[in-house]
Amino acid sequence: TLSPHILLVEDNPDEAALTRMALNRHADGPPVAHVSDGEQALDYLFRRGAYSERAGADPTVVLLDLKMPKLDGFGVLATVKASAALRHTPIVVLTSSTEPSDLMRAYAAGTNAYMAKPTDYAEFLGAMKHLCAFWLQVNTPAPAALQ
């Protein structure tokens, strides 16, 4: 099987660095690819534009921010979940928003999970550890035949 990796979609450089740090704290943590807006995320996932030569598997899981320039997380979700090739790729909304309307919209658009980032760093580290353990070790991904 191809090695797992995470696609982090986050426009705030500080948040991206913090999330990468949390993910890298796990010795068996997979590589993390980072893009900073929704358009880049779709280019990465659909292997177009700057990512047209991207080799390897699709991400094991996508960590998706909601509030971004160019194309927001809702737009990314809608596009990916409408794609026969990519709709089985797990997407976890990773956001600072605790707005019920954002939660409802994200699930309506097809997110697989929704995580409001804890503001406490230790809680955030713990949450990321659980997220990685579930999506990278516990969850059984969709077989290639479905993709």
Side-chain angles (χ1 to χ4, degrees):
T1 61
L2 293 156
S3 59
H5 75 285
I6 293 171
L7 176 61
L8 173 62
V9 187
E10 169 62 69
D11 64 309
N12 180 316
D14 294 334
E15 291 285 331
L18 186 70
T19 304
R20 289 183 84 128
M21 200 183 322
L23 292 168
N24 290 335
R25 290 199 47 153
H26 311 296
D28 57 348
V32 178
H34 171 240
V35 296
S36 52
D37 66 52
E39 285 182 6
Q40 287 178 22
L42 293 180
D43 284 351
Y44 185 95
L45 290 165
F46 287 98
R47 298 172 199 262
R48 62 191 189 202
Y51 300 97
S52 59
E53 303 295 317
R54 180 173 70 80
D58 288 325
T60 311
V61 63
V62 177
L63 303 182
L64 180 67
D65 187 25
L66 289 179
K67 313 275 197 266
M68 294 181 294
K70 294 187 183 175
L71 179 67
D72 68 12
F74 299 110
V76 172
L77 265 170
T79 304
V80 171
K81 294 304 180 177
S83 161
L86 290 172
R87 74 169 56 113
H88 301 291
T89 302
I91 297 180
V92 175
V93 167
L94 184 63
T95 181
S96 49
S97 173
T98 55
E99 290 295 318
S101 60
D102 285 343
L103 180 74
M104 295 298 289
R105 275 186 71 196
Y107 276 111
T111 191
N112 297 89
Y114 189 101
M115 180 178 148
K117 295 178 203 165
T119 51
D120 177 78
Y121 184 64
E123 283 180 35
F124 180 69
L125 282 179
M128 294 308 290
K129 181 178 180 182
H130 290 301
L131 186 149
C132 283
F134 179 78
W135 289 106
L136 304 173
Q137 295 158 9
V138 177
N139 184 55
T140 302
L146 282 176
Q147 299 173 18

